[in-house]
Amino acid sequence: MPDGGPTTHGEQHPPTAPTRTSSGETPPPRGPAASASVRSTPALRRTGFLVTLVLGGLTAVPPLSMDMYLPALPAVTTSYGASAATVQLTLTACLAGMALGQLVVGPMSDKWGRRRPLLAGLVLYVLATALCVVAPDAALLVTFRLVQGLAGAAGIVIARAVVRDLYDGLAMARFFSTLMLISGAAPIVAPLIGGQLLRFTDWRGVFGVLTLIGLGLFLLVHRVLPETLAPEDRHSGGFRATLTTMRGLLADRPFTGHLLAAGFASAALFAYISASPFVVQEIYGASPQTFSLLFGLNSVGLVGAGQLNGKVLVGRVSLDKVLATGLTLMTAAALALLLMTLGVFGEVGLVPVAAGLFVLVSALGLVTPNTTTLALMRTRNAAGSASALLGTSSFLVGAVASPLVGVAGEHTAVPMAVLQLTCALLAAACWAALARPRRTQPPAGAPHTGGADS
């Protein structure tokens, strides 16, 4: 695991969540340094690589839960004798659960610490996934998938909060880029794993493997991930206090700007995921194998850009400049795709369209880790609530955007390009209007992250 790096001292923060910085190797037992002692526990130093894998595995739960199941959808339809629309609800229920569950689990982790809500969520995830194996009808499968999504949200939101507990500033941006290496690979391998499993078992076996994955994550979390939120940094309030905290976060202009930028950027990605099978195969006549290859290449581009961000750019270029570059690339790629799909350049083949999609998806590797970092830099004690807002906004905006790509039917790519360009422009506008740093002189000695704001 990378070291904590320099601590950022110059940012301003919303009044509900003041920042506390990490201190040295042997902190005193009380005060802000006591929080650092929890975050710098010897157990974390001894099992740094394992902790990184665990956090990466937790962020990979959503794509594994969604994408491993995709090749089995026709088999589920046949097994239950249900309509395709009914079986599609099993995907919608899981996605909605993951979006809404974060709003519950995030504040819980600020109140009770990270470990207990995470372990409870993993137990519930294992039980719900096991029930999917034995679901007797489609209606109960939809119900169990909703619970599976609600429980799986614990891994997403708490993994981000743990990173915020452990790191500040540039080190946090590097670590989020490292997590993208794992979570970005999950959508590539999940459908492949699901397809291979169906050669040896039926669709229920896919949920059996997901049950074992959840159980393995529970055992790893229980063994190698200590508590990272000190008792004195926790919130004691109830539902009203949670709403107050979230209102305080949303009232902070830079936090909201980064949240909206992340949400709209995610919507562009969801639009790509929803439309690309039809665009590549139905419109441009590519085979399923070609589509799988292009989908994999785009995922590799996303992961590669994330690693470029974390290993090369962070520390050399301000986070806001890298973020602005990513948003510019997204917008340019979406505009090019729209012009191509409208026929402005005449009839184009698959290669130019695939190149535009590659640039758009890869640019997210510069946008996602930096919007997340810059938003979470605004808060320390409310990292769980902040992470919940980030995750929920991305999932909900993506869920709304996904169906819109099909409004004109399956034989035109124009709605996909229009939606992607709209989302890219909205992401850039929200960042520029609310979160772009003003030209102020940073305090002496503060590292330049691009995150300070007025």
Side-chain angles (χ1 to χ4, degrees):
M1 178 183 287
D3 62 354
T7 302
T8 301
H9 297 283
E11 307 104 304
Q12 295 182 14
H13 302 270
T16 57
T19 293
R20 297 184 180 180
T21 58
S22 299
S23 60
E25 288 292 320
T26 311
R30 290 190 178 87
S35 302
S37 70
V38 174
R39 293 188 292 272
S40 302
T41 175
L44 278 177
R45 290 198 294 269
R46 287 197 304 270
T47 60
F49 179 68
L50 272 178
V51 169
T52 303
L53 287 181
V54 168
L55 295 177
L58 293 172
T59 61
V61 165
L64 289 176
S65 300
M66 299 292 292
D67 297 344
M68 275 182 64
Y69 174 60
L70 291 179
L73 284 177
V76 178
T77 303
T78 302
S79 175
Y80 287 134
S83 66
T86 299
V87 174
Q88 286 285 347
L89 287 176
T90 63
L91 297 176
T92 304
C94 187
L95 184 62
M98 288 179 180
L100 299 176
Q102 295 184 64
L103 290 177
V104 177
V105 179
M108 285 173 59
S109 74
D110 285 336
K111 182 176 181 179
W112 294 318
R114 312 304 184 200
R115 270 178 61 89
R116 284 193 291 170
L118 178 56
L119 290 171
L122 288 171
V123 169
L124 185 58
Y125 177 86
V126 170
L127 293 175
T129 309
L131 288 173
C132 289
V133 177
V134 297
D137 55 54
L140 278 175
L141 182 61
V142 170
T143 302
F144 296 149
R145 286 281 280 173
L146 175 64
V147 178
Q148 184 192 39
L150 289 167
I156 316 169
V157 68
I158 294 179
R160 280 194 300 261
V162 167
V163 175
R164 182 61 186 102
D165 293 339
L166 295 171
Y167 295 105
D168 256 319
L170 303 180
M172 181 165 48
R174 291 191 185 100
F175 196 85
F176 276 125
S177 295
T178 299
L179 287 187
M180 284 197 68
L181 181 62
I182 302 174
S183 60
I188 304 174
V189 301
L192 299 177
I193 295 173
Q196 292 303 310
L197 285 173
L198 291 177
R199 297 178 61 184
F200 306 101
T201 182
D202 61 7
W203 64 268
R204 297 179 188 274
V206 175
F207 285 112
V209 172
L210 286 171
T211 302
L212 294 177
I213 291 173
L215 181 61
L217 280 173
F218 171 83
L219 295 175
L220 281 172
V221 167
H222 187 271
R223 181 174 179 82
V224 306
L225 187 65
E227 180 57 63
T228 58
L229 185 65
E232 61 269 26
D233 287 337
R234 300 174 190 176
H235 295 285
S236 58
F239 180 71
R240 180 174 297 181
T242 296
L243 291 180
T244 300
T245 298
M246 289 187 172
R247 277 200 305 269
L249 289 167
L250 294 174
D252 182 53
R253 285 168 57 91
F255 176 85
T256 300
H258 290 122
L259 178 145
L260 292 174
F264 285 120
S266 295
L269 178 63
F270 275 98
Y272 154 74
I273 292 173
S274 298
S276 58
F278 302 102
V279 171
V280 174
Q281 297 179 81
E282 300 295 331
I283 298 176
Y284 291 96
S287 66
Q289 291 74 27
T290 301
F291 166 72
S292 298
L293 175 62
L294 293 177
F295 192 88
L297 286 175
N298 289 339
S299 298
V300 169
L302 173 64
V303 173
Q307 296 314 293
L308 173 68
N309 177 72
K311 306 297 184 185
V312 178
L313 299 179
V314 170
R316 294 179 174 86
V317 184
S318 74
L319 302 186
D320 275 295
K321 287 183 178 178
V322 178
L323 174 56
T325 300
L327 291 171
T328 301
L329 287 173
M330 277 189 64
T331 305
L335 177 60
L337 285 167
L338 179 59
L339 295 176
M340 284 189 282
T341 57
L342 287 172
V344 173
F345 304 124
E347 188 174 347
V348 298
L350 176 60
V351 172
V353 173
L357 289 172
F358 178 82
V359 174
L360 186 146
V361 174
S362 298
L364 283 161
L366 304 179
V367 174
T368 301
N370 292 321
T371 51
T372 303
T373 298
L374 290 167
L376 291 180
M377 279 168 59
R378 309 293 301 179
T379 177
R380 165 73 78 189
N381 293 352
S385 296
S387 178
L389 289 172
L390 284 166
T392 299
S393 64
S394 295
F395 273 95
L396 288 181
V397 174
V400 170
S402 295
L404 297 179
V405 298
V407 294
E410 301 175 0
H411 303 292
T412 175
V414 172
M416 177 194 74
V418 169
L419 184 60
Q420 288 173 333
L421 180 59
T422 301
C423 290
L425 289 172
L426 286 172
C430 290
W431 172 77
L434 299 175
R436 185 176 60 179
R438 309 294 186 262
R439 293 183 177 276
T440 56
Q441 186 68 29
H448 180 46
T449 65
D453 204 283
S454 60

